[in-house]
Amino acid sequence: MSTKARANYESGLDKFNRVSNATNVAFHTVFILLAIVCLVPVLVVLSVSLSSEDSIRHTGYHIIPTALSGEAYHYIAEQGTMISRALGVSVLVTVVGTVLGILLTTSMGYVISRPNYKLKGLLTWIVFIPMVFNGGLVSSYYINSNLLGLKDTVWALILPLAVSSFNVIICKTFFRSTIPDGLIESAEIDGASQFRIFFNIILPISLPLIATIGLFLCFSYWNDWFQSMLYINNQDLYSLQALLNSLMSNVDALAKNASTMGISYATLVATMPKESARMAVAIVIVVPVAAAYPFFQKYFISGLTVGAVKG
C-alpha cells in the first residue's frame, strides 16, 4: 500500500473515533449529573452527622445543617478505648488480608494463565464454579468454625475473604493478554525457577493489576462486619465496622426501653444522639477509604480495563 493510500485509509478510520461537539457536551452533562447524584447522599450523611437530634426530629434531613452540633462525634469519641482497639483490628485485618489476598489471587491467576500447564482446565473450572454456585452459609460456617478452628481468631476475619473467583479471572485475563510468552520462555532458558519468574519478573510489571486487586480487597476487608458477626464472640477482636454497628444497636435498644429505666438513666438515653450518631459512624468508616482511593485511581482504571476488556 502506498503512502498516500495509507494516509487516506487512516483518515477514513478517524471518522469513527471523532465525537461531535454536541455529543461531547451531552456526555459531559450526563457524567456531571451522575457525579452529583453520587455526591448528594454523601453530603446529606455528613450534614445529618453534624446536626442536633432536635433539628433532625423537627425538620428532617438537609444538605445544609439547620442546627450544628458535634454531639454525635462526641458520643463516638467517648467510646475512645473500644474505638481505638477496633480500629487497630480493622487496620491489621485490612493490611494482612490485602497482602495475603494479592499473593494468593495473583499466583493462582498466573498459574491458570499458562497455556502449557496441564491442570489449567481443571483449575479454571474450580475457580469458575463458585461464581455460579455457592456452598451456602451453613457449610462455610461449619468448615471455618469446626474443621479449621477459626472461631474467635483474627484469621476468621481474613481467610474467608482472601480469594475471590472474580479477582482470579481478572488476573488470568491480565496475565494472558499482557505478559508475552517469550519473556517467560527466555527466563526459563536462563535457568530461572517459576517462583523467581513470578516474583522478579511478573509482579513488577503488573502494578496496575496489583493496585486493582488490592483496592478490591481493601474495600472488602475495611467494610466487612458480617465475618465478625458470624465468628467473633470476643469483643476485643471486633473490627471497627462490627463495633460501631454494635454501638448503634445498643443505642436503639436503650432508646426503645427508656421507659423501664430509672429517671436519670432514661433522661440520658433520651439525650443520646441516634440518627446523627448513625451518620457519624458512616462518615468515620468512609473517610479512610475515600482518602486512599485517589492514590490508587490511575492504576485501578488501567488494571481493570486491561484485565476485563482484553481476551
Side-chain angles (χ1 to χ4, degrees):
M1 182 182 294
S2 64
T3 304
K4 184 177 180 180
R6 181 181 296 275
N8 292 333
Y9 176 74
E10 292 177 353
S11 63
L13 290 177
D14 286 344
K15 66 181 181 181
F16 296 105
N17 297 323
R18 287 196 298 266
V19 177
S20 65
N21 291 332
T23 304
N24 199 24
V25 170
F27 282 157
H28 279 79
T29 303
V30 170
F31 288 131
I32 290 173
L33 292 176
L34 290 176
I36 293 174
V37 168
C38 295
L39 184 61
V40 167
V42 178
L43 294 178
V44 171
V45 170
L46 179 61
S47 173
V48 174
S49 71
L50 295 172
S51 301
S52 65
E53 285 295 315
D54 289 336
S55 67
I56 295 174
R57 281 194 293 267
H58 289 95
T59 63
Y61 294 174
H62 296 279
I63 294 182
I64 300 177
T66 56
L68 283 173
S69 173
E71 57 186 1
Y73 293 97
H74 178 69
Y75 169 73
I76 293 178
E78 285 180 343
Q79 319 297 326
T81 302
M82 291 189 300
I83 295 292
S84 300
R85 184 172 57 244
L87 178 61
V89 172
S90 287
V91 171
L92 174 65
V93 168
T94 301
V95 172
V96 175
T98 300
V99 173
L100 181 62
I102 288 174
L103 289 175
L104 295 176
T105 304
T106 54
S107 59
M108 190 167 187
Y110 172 71
V111 168
I112 62 177
S113 71
R114 294 303 89 205
N116 56 349
Y117 182 59
K118 294 182 179 179
L119 298 179
K120 181 188 69 172
L122 175 62
L123 290 181
T124 300
W125 277 106
I126 292 176
V127 171
F128 175 74
I129 288 175
M131 295 181 64
V132 182
F133 304 101
N134 194 306
L137 182 60
V138 174
S139 59
S140 61
Y141 181 84
Y142 177 80
I143 291 173
N144 292 325
S145 297
N146 296 352
L147 294 184
L148 300 180
L150 300 180
K151 192 173 181 63
D152 270 335
T153 66
V154 72
W155 292 109
L157 307 177
I158 296 176
L159 294 182
L161 302 178
V163 178
S164 166
S165 296
F166 177 73
N167 292 342
V168 174
I169 296 299
I170 288 180
C171 291
K172 175 193 173 184
T173 307
F174 180 92
F175 291 137
R176 193 74 199 108
S177 60
T178 306
I179 308 299
D181 294 336
L183 180 64
I184 300 175
E185 292 172 357
S186 62
E188 291 175 344
I189 293 173
D190 291 338
S193 64
Q194 289 297 330
F195 282 104
R196 185 165 186 177
I197 293 173
F198 180 69
F199 286 105
N200 291 5
I201 299 177
I202 302 301
L203 290 185
I205 62 178
S206 303
L207 290 182
L209 174 68
I210 293 174
T212 302
I213 301 302
L215 194 63
F216 284 159
L217 290 170
C218 186
F219 283 170
S220 298
Y221 281 115
W222 182 259
N223 294 324
D224 178 67
W225 57 270
F226 190 63
Q227 306 300 320
S228 295
M229 186 189 73
L230 286 179
Y231 303 114
I232 303 299
N233 293 326
N234 183 3
Q235 290 193 358
D236 291 342
L237 295 177
Y238 270 12
S239 64
L240 180 63
Q241 289 71 18
L243 177 63
L244 296 182
N245 180 64
S246 176
L247 289 177
M248 290 302 95
S249 299
N250 292 337
V251 168
D252 291 340
L254 291 174
K256 291 177 181 178
N257 295 281
S259 60
T260 63
M261 303 175 185
I263 182 62
S264 60
Y265 200 58
T267 303
L268 175 63
V269 170
T271 58
M272 276 185 176
K274 301 176 184 66
E275 290 300 320
S276 60
R278 195 186 304 276
M279 299 305 175
V281 166
I283 294 297
V284 169
I285 292 175
V286 166
V287 165
V289 175
Y293 181 79
F295 299 99
F296 290 91
Q297 184 176 8
K298 178 179 69 174
Y299 294 111
F300 174 74
I301 295 174
S302 175
L304 186 61
T305 302
V306 174
V309 175
K310 286 189 178 181

